[in-house]
Amino acid sequence: MYFILIASLLTIDLLAQSNLRPAQKKFESETIEETINRISAKMKDNKLKYTFINSFPNTLDTTVTNYDPNIPDSFVITGDITAMWLRDSTNQLWTYMEFINKDSKLQNLVKGAISRQVNQVLIDPYANAFNYQKKQSEWSNDNTTRCFLGVNVHAMSQNLHERKFEIDSLVAVLRLSIGYYRETNDTSIINFKYLKAVQRILRTFRDSQADQQEQFKSFRFPYTFQRNGRSTDTVINGIGEPVRRTGLLRTFFRASDDSTIYQFNIPENAMASSILKQTAEMLSEAQLSWSLRTAAQPLIGEALALSQEIKDAIYKYGIKDGAFVYEVDGMGKQVFMDDSNQPSLLSLPIYGFIDIEDPLYQATRKKALSSSNPYYYEGTAAKGIGGPHIGANYIWPMAIVTQGLTTYDKQELRECLRMLVTTTGNKWFMHESFFKDNPDSFTRSWFAWANGLFGELVLKIDKQYPELLEENYI
Ligand SMILES: *[C@@H]1O[C@H](CO)[C@@H](O)[C@H](O)[C@H]1NC(C)=O
Ligand SMILES: *[C@@H]1O[C@H](CO)[C@@H](O)[C@H](O)[C@H]1NC(C)=O
């Protein structure tokens, strides 16, 4: 009796502290508020309810730090790091993509982010994160160069927060514009500046197909990077472990911002192959003016050819024992692992590279979610994938969301939801990672990408198995 009373007092206390959304929201959308109300009304479990209420709108609530609706121009920070990542900003806004054709304000926000990203690519296609305006970055001492008239010159500029070259940063820019176009049919984003950015991306990808030997012979390293720091933040000799030309693109860093072991990272290439094809399809279908069409035509052909070349190379070099591997060097060395960040092996169907039911994907997925993956952990709180970024025994909620987004199995979805809402450390937000046996030990209390992904998973469950939202999760 007393116990019940105390327990219910505690519950009330918990509820009072559970709506952690700021009173002053950075961006407000009626459509999103309606969606929060509609979906949360179905939820009986408070852990699920409050995690959804806080996480789903987190990007809009807290990270749209600069928005000018007139240009439009949107600057979207990652959360606790106050710079705009190309990858994160695309993913953060992707959460709301299915609503933009019902909400012109939201549509304009995404349009502003596309415009911002296009400018960022044209400033420097090798950078992963940008400042709002010029300022000194904490990484300004990185030794990173670009090729200027055949000479390598220092390339860290005040526009940049960080200059780690990652294939998926550029792919993210294309993906955001495709998502926007598919939802709205609005061709106004496809202007000459946009086509110039597409051209720059294609040229950067072509350059990244050349191996280090070729670049050495031509005295042309388009990009080098060295940091005086931990090994995951730098690459050997500024150019990385030797690889041999295969058609695959070299990425110096992964979606985790950690350096690659071998620069032919399969998930990065798979995502590039899919999105390049979708870029070509969008540019072919869009009703463009004669002059824009003329400018787009060669880019369509180039994007299609590159997409196919990458895909062929993935199937030739990126498979072992009936499953995709994570990284290869084109000379016979292959690494099997999976990292929690998207793009990962687990996330391949999300970009349309392969069907969920494809046996090759299923074999890869099974391996990634097992001890064959050195970054897979099983603990008393959850089981899932982590990565070198935080290290041993820390599971990333993002990987559990990815697992949920790539299954049709109701029981697996239930288990993903359970693991996610019972491991917030009673903070009712997604974290970057948590200790497998104790979720009170976690990293990054404000990580908008992961929050948005959790929202996406709930939206998917609401469409496929809404009854799961009514269950209790212990
Ligand atoms: C976009 O165009 C396609 C093809 O014409 C059409 O099927 C779709 O309904 C349109 N979508 C919107 C949001 O107008
Ligand atoms: C900076 O990187 C370039 C290219 O890797 C290298 O040649 C140069 O020695 C490096 N400078 C310093 C100070 O490390």
Side-chain angles (χ1 to χ4, degrees):
M1 167 79 174
Y2 285 121
F3 174 76
I4 292 168
L5 187 65
I6 292 168
S8 61
L9 282 174
L10 279 175
T11 312
I12 290 165
D13 189 40
L14 210 61
L15 293 186
Q17 294 172 16
S18 296
N19 187 350
L20 302 172
R21 300 181 63 195
Q24 279 293 322
K25 299 174 180 54
K26 299 280 187 196
F27 187 95
E28 295 195 62
S29 155
E30 277 176 30
T31 312
I32 297 304
E33 296 307 322
E34 280 163 24
T35 306
I36 294 170
N37 292 338
R38 178 178 63 78
I39 295 181
S40 66
K42 301 180 190 181
M43 295 173 167
K44 303 217 169 70
D45 184 314
N46 285 329
K47 295 185 293 304
L48 172 59
K49 189 172 194 156
Y50 286 101
T51 307
F52 176 67
I53 288 176
N54 292 317
S55 300
F56 173 56
N58 187 241
T59 281
L60 301 181
D61 285 356
T62 65
T63 69
V64 183
T65 56
N66 298 82
Y67 170 55
D68 181 341
N70 298 317
I71 301 178
D73 173 41
S74 317
F75 190 81
V76 181
I77 64 167
T78 66
D80 51 9
I81 310 174
T82 56
M84 177 164 168
W85 256 253
L86 295 175
R87 165 197 316 117
D88 287 54
S89 57
T90 287
N91 281 293
Q92 286 168 258
L93 293 169
W94 199 266
T95 306
Y96 315 112
M97 200 59 99
E98 66 185 80
F99 305 102
I100 66 172
N101 66 13
K102 300 182 208 99
D103 185 330
S104 58
K105 211 176 136 196
L106 204 51
Q107 176 175 344
N108 202 46
L109 176 74
V110 176
K111 192 172 170 181
I114 294 168
S115 155
R116 189 36 85 157
Q117 289 184 345
V118 162
N119 285 326
Q120 289 167 333
V121 168
L122 293 174
I123 287 171
D124 189 341
Y126 287 95
N128 57 326
F130 293 79
N131 297 326
Y132 176 57
Q133 287 165 329
K134 288 189 180 189
K135 71 169 188 188
Q136 188 86 353
S137 147
E138 65 181 294
W139 305 120
S140 51
N141 287 329
D142 286 347
N143 176 14
T144 177
T145 68
R146 66 190 168 93
C147 186
F148 181 68
L149 303 174
V151 188
N152 281 351
V153 297
H154 186 68
M156 195 61 201
S157 85
Q158 293 211 330
N159 287 309
L160 313 184
H161 172 76
E162 196 174 44
R163 192 168 186 269
K164 283 179 170 172
F165 179 51
E166 296 150 351
I167 297 296
D168 74 283
S169 296
L170 296 177
V171 174
V173 174
L174 298 174
R175 185 174 181 236
L176 187 65
S177 57
I178 294 165
Y180 175 91
Y181 171 75
R182 288 285 168 225
E183 289 296 330
T184 61
N185 290 343
D186 176 9
T187 56
S188 68
I189 51 163
I190 307 173
N191 51 32
F192 283 106
K193 204 171 194 185
Y194 177 83
L195 294 179
K196 198 171 163 196
V198 174
Q199 187 183 35
R200 186 71 58 87
I201 290 170
L202 288 168
R203 197 175 77 206
T204 307
F205 285 173
R206 283 281 177 217
D207 279 342
S208 79
Q209 289 181 301
D211 62 38
Q212 296 99 334
Q213 285 283 340
E214 292 173 87
Q215 291 180 341
F216 183 72
K217 280 188 211 135
S218 68
F219 300 103
R220 191 167 172 273
F221 287 103
Y223 169 87
T224 73
F225 184 97
Q226 278 171 296
R227 177 178 295 170
N228 198 356
R230 57 184 203 148
S231 64
T232 48
D233 274 329
T234 189
V235 304
I236 189 163
N237 296 323
I239 54 175
E241 290 285 349
V243 296
R244 182 76 42 81
R245 181 186 275 270
T246 54
L248 295 167
L249 314 180
R250 283 165 61 199
T251 191
F252 283 56
F253 293 89
R254 301 170 179 162
S256 56
D257 298 331
D258 296 330
S259 50
T260 45
I261 298 171
Y262 301 120
Q263 291 180 335
F264 297 140
N265 178 288
I266 298 302
E268 294 268 338
N269 275 277
M271 184 185 186
S273 173
S274 292
I275 301 296
L276 283 170
K277 182 156 176 272
Q278 293 172 31
T279 305
E281 288 163 356
M282 173 183 72
L283 292 177
S284 309
E285 288 167 29
Q287 302 289 318
L288 301 176
S289 69
W290 181 83
S291 51
L292 279 169
R293 164 133 314 283
T294 309
Q297 211 56 49
L299 303 177
I300 294 170
E302 204 185 323
L304 276 180
L306 190 54
S307 164
Q308 191 60 45
E309 190 180 0
I310 295 168
K311 188 168 185 182
D312 291 345
I314 290 173
Y315 278 84
K316 182 165 177 198
Y317 297 95
I319 295 174
K320 191 186 177 197
D321 302 333
F324 288 115
V325 294
Y326 190 67
E327 282 168 4
V328 304
D329 72 348
M331 295 179 282
K333 292 210 197 76
Q334 296 176 318
V335 176
F336 184 83
M337 57 169 271
D338 204 20
D339 187 273
S340 44
N341 287 264
Q342 294 181 6
S344 55
L345 290 175
L346 201 59
S347 72
L348 292 181
I350 292 177
Y351 310 106
F353 182 73
I354 191 165
D355 281 343
I356 287 182
E357 286 100 344
D358 190 309
L360 185 55
Y361 172 69
Q362 282 301 323
T364 307
R365 187 176 200 276
K366 198 168 166 201
K367 223 171 144 181
L369 294 171
S370 81
S371 56
S372 301
N373 174 7
Y375 292 102
Y376 179 77
Y377 307 113
E378 291 194 7
T380 54
K383 48 189 181 180
I385 300 171
H389 195 75
I390 298 299
N393 298 318
Y394 276 76
I395 294 171
W396 288 49
M398 182 185 297
I400 300 175
V401 173
T402 306
Q403 185 184 347
L405 291 174
T406 53
T407 185
Y408 301 124
D409 183 90
K410 188 172 168 184
Q411 182 50 32
E412 189 176 9
L413 277 164
R414 178 185 280 125
E415 180 57 12
C416 289
L417 212 48
R418 187 195 68 76
M419 289 194 286
L420 289 165
V421 302
T422 55
T423 57
T424 72
N426 293 342
K427 301 290 185 209
W428 322 122
F429 281 104
M430 291 295 107
H431 296 132
E432 180 188 51
S433 73
F434 61 87
F435 182 56
K436 68 184 176 72
D437 299 324
N438 175 16
D440 290 338
S441 173
F442 61 81
T443 63
R444 289 192 74 181
S445 56
W446 179 20
F447 183 27
W449 175 11
N451 283 324
L453 272 178
F454 176 75
E456 271 178 59
L457 180 63
V458 171
L459 295 177
K460 168 187 151 126
I461 291 174
D462 183 50
K463 288 180 196 109
Q464 289 177 359
Y465 302 106
E467 63 274 22
L468 286 182
L469 301 181
E470 298 172 24
E471 293 185 12
N472 277 307
Y473 294 93
I474 308 158

